Amino acid sequence: MKLNHLDITFEQFANEMAQLRNKKHFDYLVTIIGEDFGEEGLGCVYILENSDTYERTSVKTIARKVDDSYLIPSVCKLWKSANLLEREVFDFLGIKFLGHPDMRRLYLRSDFQGWPLRKDFKAAEGYTLEDDEEPDYGMEYSLDKDGRLVEKRNLLFTDDDFVVNIGPQHPSTHGVLRLQTLLDGEVIRKIYPHLGYIHRGIEKMCESYTYPQTLALTDRMDYLSAMMNRHALVGVIEEAMGVELSDRIKYVRTIMDELQRLDSHLLYIGCCAQDLGALTAFLYSMRDREHVLNVMEETTGGRLIQNYYRIGGLQEDIDPNFVKNVKALCNYMKPMFKEYMDVFGNNIITKKRFVGVGMLSKEDAISYGVTGASGRASDWKNDVRKHHPYDMYDKVEWQEVTATSCDSYSRYLNRIEEMKQSISIIEQLIDNIPAGDFYIKQKPIIKVPEGQWYFSCEGSRGEIGVYLDSKGDKSPYRLKFRPMGLNHVAAMDEMLRGEKIADLITVGAALDFVIPDIDR
């Protein structure tokens, strides 16, 4: 969607945002984009959604400068997801959010010098091999009655607290995620996530890349949602440029997205089992995932990194055997869902570890922005394919899978049911792929008109969105990815308070996050 921001001044910001949240029911904070607006100064764009009507709006505010600090009132008391989203903005732009209880860097080292997403940032030469001395407190900022900045230190834990690090080298954190966990015996009191161990600065890199060059980075963010990641990026560029795609392109993209969803969900159900110590179910799911990858590979040439979508269509047309092999895959997969449930899903140990564990209410799922099958397990209908349809999703019959149990077991079952829906979508399209161009030719140098846009897709783990600010050049002025997994990690603290330490592993497994997607 093209963004026409509601501009709010610093003085009115806190009141107006509360009105949007409480009176107009914009209860889903999609993302916060921190940006250096040049002569305007530093500021943020907030994308909001009403979870009842699915109406979206965007808000823009410019930070007030007090001495050498840039300040914006925090909204973390209105939307719980803002806690980490504001820390991300602080990390990269140095904007301090008044009233936020824990203003620490989120991705970069605490001793990192400078703010990388400011346009005047100059990277220092060399790097350090010294340990990062992490503070044991978070900073809270406020303004006194004279308008002066006041700092307050909030201790994260005391010397008497028992702290265990889960990760960053732990197989069940699914990558280099570190969860600093405060325990009372075996009971979890608090979780502080530490991110950025695989941070690569993708958003910063995109500012110096041409639009076609940026595409190579998306598959590597969430390698199990590569098609949807790139779909979101080419989608926002194509919308901004006004590119009209052929029906053939839309059909093939929809089918490929659903094949990618099968690929990801199959690995998910196997990893859930493996995290609980059940290796057999992992082997079953990996066996069938190979069949999915074989079908995709014959057209894209890739298995993990697909590199298939491009601005204006597809890299190549589908393989001559694609239709036949996709139909054979669907026929093979349909009876397998019962097998997955027999081997693992209905196992008594699975139910003991998953049922009633990691509870997340519908209100908290919305407030934390936990989208995808994990959010729909809390009865929040948030499927982008249904409520903000793109390509062929509003032309086929399929059901949005939800549950009301709000626990880890529902998150697992939702993926099983979603795979059935993916098969149904594919079967409705595969015999009807129309003739036509697989690529709409573009100019050798692609330039996007001036303006701001946001486009999102339903990824394997939730909403993957891309914000684009263009100044009419061949490179984006600002490109911001809404990761699927950051909001999942943000919700873990509240989900796990009072649970046992062993439940942390199962809750993480059931939530389903991929670390390069979070860290970018």
Side-chain angles (χ1 to χ4, degrees):
M1 66 176 185
K2 190 166 194 317
L3 300 179
N4 296 304
H5 306 306
L6 173 64
D7 288 300
I8 301 178
T9 63
F10 176 90
E11 291 77 13
Q12 295 297 319
F13 182 76
N15 182 57
E16 290 293 328
M17 293 298 275
Q19 292 284 328
L20 286 169
R21 167 64 181 84
N22 299 323
K23 297 293 179 64
K24 298 185 178 180
H25 197 63
F26 284 99
D27 53 345
Y28 168 33
L29 175 59
V30 180
T31 191
I32 301 175
I33 302 106
E35 186 170 351
D36 184 343
F37 293 104
E39 292 182 359
E40 285 187 271
L42 305 181
C44 287
V45 172
Y46 299 73
I47 299 177
L48 308 173
E49 177 177 298
N50 182 317
S51 66
D52 290 335
T53 64
Y54 302 101
E55 175 192 357
R56 286 190 167 176
T57 189
S58 60
V59 171
K60 177 181 175 183
T61 189
I62 300 299
R64 170 184 284 183
K65 190 173 183 181
V66 175
D67 297 327
D68 291 328
S69 296
Y70 291 87
L71 310 174
I72 294 177
S74 174
V75 295
C76 64
K77 292 181 180 178
L78 299 173
W79 297 278
K80 294 179 179 180
S81 60
N83 189 298
L84 292 191
L85 295 177
E86 289 177 347
R87 283 181 59 191
E88 178 182 0
V89 175
F90 169 71
D91 198 357
F92 296 141
L93 284 152
I95 297 174
K96 297 173 180 176
F97 291 88
L98 301 174
H100 191 292
D102 187 10
M103 277 277 94
R104 290 177 294 149
R105 288 192 182 270
L106 185 64
Y107 294 108
L108 305 178
R109 289 171 59 106
S110 57
D111 59 358
F112 188 89
Q113 298 297 313
W115 315 102
L117 287 183
R118 293 188 186 182
K119 296 301 180 180
D120 60 358
F121 173 74
K122 301 294 183 184
E125 294 291 334
Y127 56 90
T128 178
L129 296 177
E130 299 297 320
D131 287 341
D132 185 15
E133 296 294 332
E134 297 176 343
D136 59 356
Y137 56 87
M139 295 300 299
E140 183 175 347
Y141 298 96
S142 60
L143 293 176
D144 65 15
K145 60 181 180 2
D146 297 320
R148 291 174 298 196
L149 187 64
V150 178
E151 299 180 354
K152 175 188 173 186
R153 291 188 177 187
N154 294 324
L155 283 178
L156 304 177
F157 37 78
T158 67
D159 292 339
D160 294 330
D161 286 328
F162 185 70
V163 183
V164 172
N165 284 300
I166 308 297
Q169 285 81 29
H170 193 293
S172 293
T173 59
H174 296 204
V176 282
L177 171 67
R178 175 181 164 214
L179 298 173
Q180 201 171 25
T181 309
L182 275 67
L183 298 175
D184 181 5
E186 290 188 29
V187 177
I188 296 171
R189 288 173 46 208
K190 179 73 177 173
I191 292 176
Y192 294 106
H194 289 257
L195 309 172
Y197 288 90
I198 197 171
H199 177 67
R200 292 157 291 173
I202 285 177
E203 293 176 8
K204 181 67 174 179
M205 292 164 63
C206 287
E207 294 178 7
S208 59
Y209 282 13
T210 63
Y211 284 101
Q213 287 175 329
T214 62
L215 302 185
L217 302 173
T218 55
D219 292 35
R220 292 160 174 82
M221 291 193 306
D222 182 347
Y223 36 80
L224 301 174
S225 196
M227 290 290 188
M228 299 81 136
N229 286 354
R230 187 173 292 205
H231 199 158
L233 180 53
V234 298
V236 75
I237 296 170
E238 289 163 352
E239 181 179 340
M241 295 173 61
V243 176
E244 291 291 334
L245 301 176
S246 68
D247 284 345
R248 184 175 184 84
I249 294 169
K250 294 178 181 178
Y251 269 72
V252 174
R253 282 187 178 178
T254 304
I255 293 169
M256 284 294 187
D257 279 9
E258 294 311 307
L259 288 173
Q260 185 81 78
R261 200 176 318 280
L262 287 172
D263 157 32
S264 179
H265 284 1
L266 282 170
L267 186 62
Y268 165 85
I269 65 173
C271 287
C272 274
Q274 189 179 44
D275 286 352
L276 269 62
L279 180 61
T280 303
F282 178 78
L283 298 176
Y284 274 58
S285 68
M286 290 299 287
R287 173 200 66 191
D288 295 342
R289 181 171 175 264
E290 286 297 301
H291 295 305
V292 179
L293 294 179
N294 288 341
V295 171
M296 298 173 74
E297 183 186 22
E298 66 188 4
T299 290
T300 69
R303 296 177 75 80
L304 196 67
I305 308 300
Q306 302 293 343
N307 291 322
Y308 189 52
Y309 300 161
R310 61 194 293 200
I311 302 167
L314 311 170
Q315 189 69 30
E316 297 288 346
D317 205 352
I318 55 176
D319 186 86
N321 296 319
F322 182 75
V323 172
K324 178 187 71 175
N325 289 341
V326 167
K327 291 167 72 173
L329 172 69
C330 292
N331 290 331
Y332 170 81
M333 285 294 300
K334 282 187 282 190
M336 291 300 159
F337 300 123
K338 182 179 183 301
E339 188 174 82
Y340 306 147
M341 293 301 294
D342 289 343
V343 171
F344 181 71
N346 282 325
N347 188 293
I348 185 63
I349 299 175
T350 304
K351 292 183 177 180
K352 288 284 188 182
R353 296 296 301 277
F354 273 173
V355 174
V357 175
M359 301 297 290
L360 183 68
S361 68
K362 179 180 179 180
E363 292 73 19
D364 282 340
I366 297 171
S367 188
Y368 278 109
V370 178
T371 55
S374 295
R376 290 190 285 276
S378 298
D379 200 29
W380 175 27
K381 295 179 174 64
N382 59 57
D383 200 311
V384 179
R385 298 171 294 173
K386 185 69 75 175
H387 306 295
H388 304 282
Y390 52 97
D391 286 354
M392 303 307 298
Y393 286 111
D394 56 346
K395 307 295 193 299
V396 294
E397 295 293 329
W398 60 281
Q399 298 297 318
E400 182 175 9
V401 179
T402 60
T404 58
S405 301
C406 306
D407 61 3
S408 294
Y409 193 55
S410 293
R411 294 172 201 124
Y412 176 85
L413 295 180
N414 271 14
R415 265 88 175 180
I416 297 287
E417 294 303 315
E418 283 197 357
M419 286 194 285
K420 297 177 183 178
Q421 295 300 318
S422 292
I423 295 290
S424 174
I425 292 170
I426 292 170
E427 287 186 324
Q428 292 176 63
L429 297 175
I430 194 63
D431 279 328
N432 302 302
I433 300 176
D437 294 329
F438 68 87
Y439 174 64
I440 309 302
K441 189 174 182 180
Q442 304 300 310
K443 294 180 179 180
I445 298 178
I446 293 176
K447 293 185 178 181
V448 173
E450 191 169 346
Q452 293 86 37
W453 288 266
Y454 180 79
F455 186 90
S456 60
C457 294
E458 182 66 24
S460 304
R461 267 149 290 284
E463 177 177 346
I464 170 68
V466 180
Y467 164 88
L468 169 62
D469 187 355
S470 171
K471 300 299 184 185
D473 202 354
K474 63 182 180 180
S475 299
Y477 182 79
R478 175 78 167 98
L479 201 62
K480 158 74 177 177
F481 294 95
R482 181 207 184 273
M484 295 171 277
L486 180 61
N487 301 67
H488 293 49
V489 171
M492 289 185 73
D493 172 44
E494 188 154 328
M495 294 169 68
L496 283 161
R497 286 187 204 171
E499 302 276 11
K500 297 292 182 66
I501 184 68
D503 294 327
L504 184 151
I505 303 302
T506 61
V507 168
L511 275 173
D512 188 22
F513 42 75
V514 169
I515 307 306
D517 161 66
I518 299 172
D519 282 2
R520 285 157 290 143

